[in-house]
Amino acid sequence: PAVLVAYWIQLRLGIPYLLSCHSSGFLPISSRQYPWWQRWLLTRTANSAKMVCPVSQALAKAWQQNGLRASIQVIPNVVDTEVFYPADDPIPTPPLRLLHISNFAPEAKNVYGILRVAARLKQTGFPFTLTIAGDGDLKTVAAYAQQLGLDDRHLQLQGVLSGERVATYMRSHHCFVLFSNYETQGITAMEAVCCGLPVIATRVGGLPEIIDHEEKGTLIEAGDEDALFTT
C-alpha cells in the first residue's frame, strides 16, 4: 500500500520515489502470489517510480514478466558480518550436524520434506542431528516429527532466535539446509555462507545467486527429496 502513497505524493508534489521490493507476491509459483488486479495496480504505480530495487535478479525478472518497465537496480538484503562470521575451529564429526531456520511455512519452506528425509537418514543408521529453529508452528512440526519416529537423539527444535544466537548455531553446525519451494532471495542462506557454513538449497528464486559456487554449497531441485537424501 505504501507505493500508492508515494505515487500520490509524486503526482501532487512532483517528488520522485524509489521502490524497494522483497515480496514473493510476483513469483509465479508462490502460494501468496498477488491476484491479477493487484499485480496490475502495483506494476502501474511502480512504472512511475524513479527506480525499482528488487532484492534478487529472479524477483526482477518475475516483475518484468508482469509488465514492469521502470529502471531496475537489484539491491540484495545485507548481512552483518560483525555477527555472522566463520568459526575459529572446525566442528568435530560424527555426528553430522544439520541446521534449518525458517518460519516453517509448508508451502514455502517445505520443512516437512526435510523431516521426511531426516527419517530416511535415521533408518539407514547414518549418524546425524538436525536442528530446526524459527518463528513458526513448533507444535505441528514436533507432532509430525514424532509420527516419523524422530526423537531427541536426532532432532532438536528451537523457537525464535536472536541474530546473535542464529550466528552461534550456524558456527556450531556442519551444513545448512533450505529446502524451499520458492524464495525471493533467502537471507538465511546468505547468513550461513557468511558463517562459512555450506548450504544445501533448492534452485529457486534468488538462491542460485547466493550459492553460485560449489564451495558455498549445493543446489537441488525443489521438492526432490531423493536428491536431498543423497546430498
Side-chain angles (χ1 to χ4, degrees), residues 155-189:
L155 179 64
Q156 300 294 323
L157 296 177
Q158 299 290 331
V160 178
L161 304 176
S162 66
E164 289 77 9
R165 288 193 67 198
V166 168
T168 299
Y169 270 73
M170 287 182 170
R171 284 190 287 272
S172 64
H173 286 73
H174 295 106
C175 183
F176 188 77
V177 181
L178 195 58
F179 197 43
S180 302
N181 291 319
Y182 60 86
E183 290 278 354
T184 52
Q185 184 175 36
I187 193 167
T188 52

Side-chain angles (χ1 to χ4, degrees), residues 70-141:
S71 297
I72 292 178
Q73 175 63 58
V74 173
I75 301 180
N77 286 297
V78 298
V79 176
D80 184 354
T81 53
E82 294 294 322
V83 176
F84 293 89
Y85 54 85
D88 293 329
D89 301 310
I91 306 162
T93 54
L96 179 68
R97 296 171 60 88
L98 304 171
L99 177 65
H100 171 79
I101 299 175
S102 74
N103 61 7
F104 314 154
E107 70 280 358
K109 305 301 182 180
N110 196 8
V111 67
Y112 300 134
I114 296 175
L115 290 173
R116 287 191 292 270
V117 172
R120 290 172 63 181
L121 281 177
K122 179 186 175 183
Q123 290 175 355
T124 67
F126 184 83
F128 79 96
T129 62
L130 169 64
T131 301
I132 293 179
D135 59 353
D137 185 353
L138 272 177
K139 290 183 178 179
T140 302
V141 171

Side-chain angles (χ1 to χ4, degrees), residues 37-83:
W37 60 268
Q38 192 170 0
R39 280 180 280 133
W40 176 86
L41 180 61
L42 289 172
T43 300
R44 181 181 176 89
T45 51
N47 279 332
S48 297
K50 187 72 174 179
M51 183 174 290
V52 176
C53 304
V55 294
S56 66
Q57 293 289 350
L59 184 55
K61 182 179 179 180
W63 209 341
Q64 287 174 320
Q65 290 172 343
N66 279 275
L68 182 66
R69 299 184 303 276
S71 297
I72 292 178
Q73 175 63 58
V74 173
I75 301 180
N77 286 297
V78 298
V79 176
D80 184 354
T81 53
E82 294 294 322
V83 176

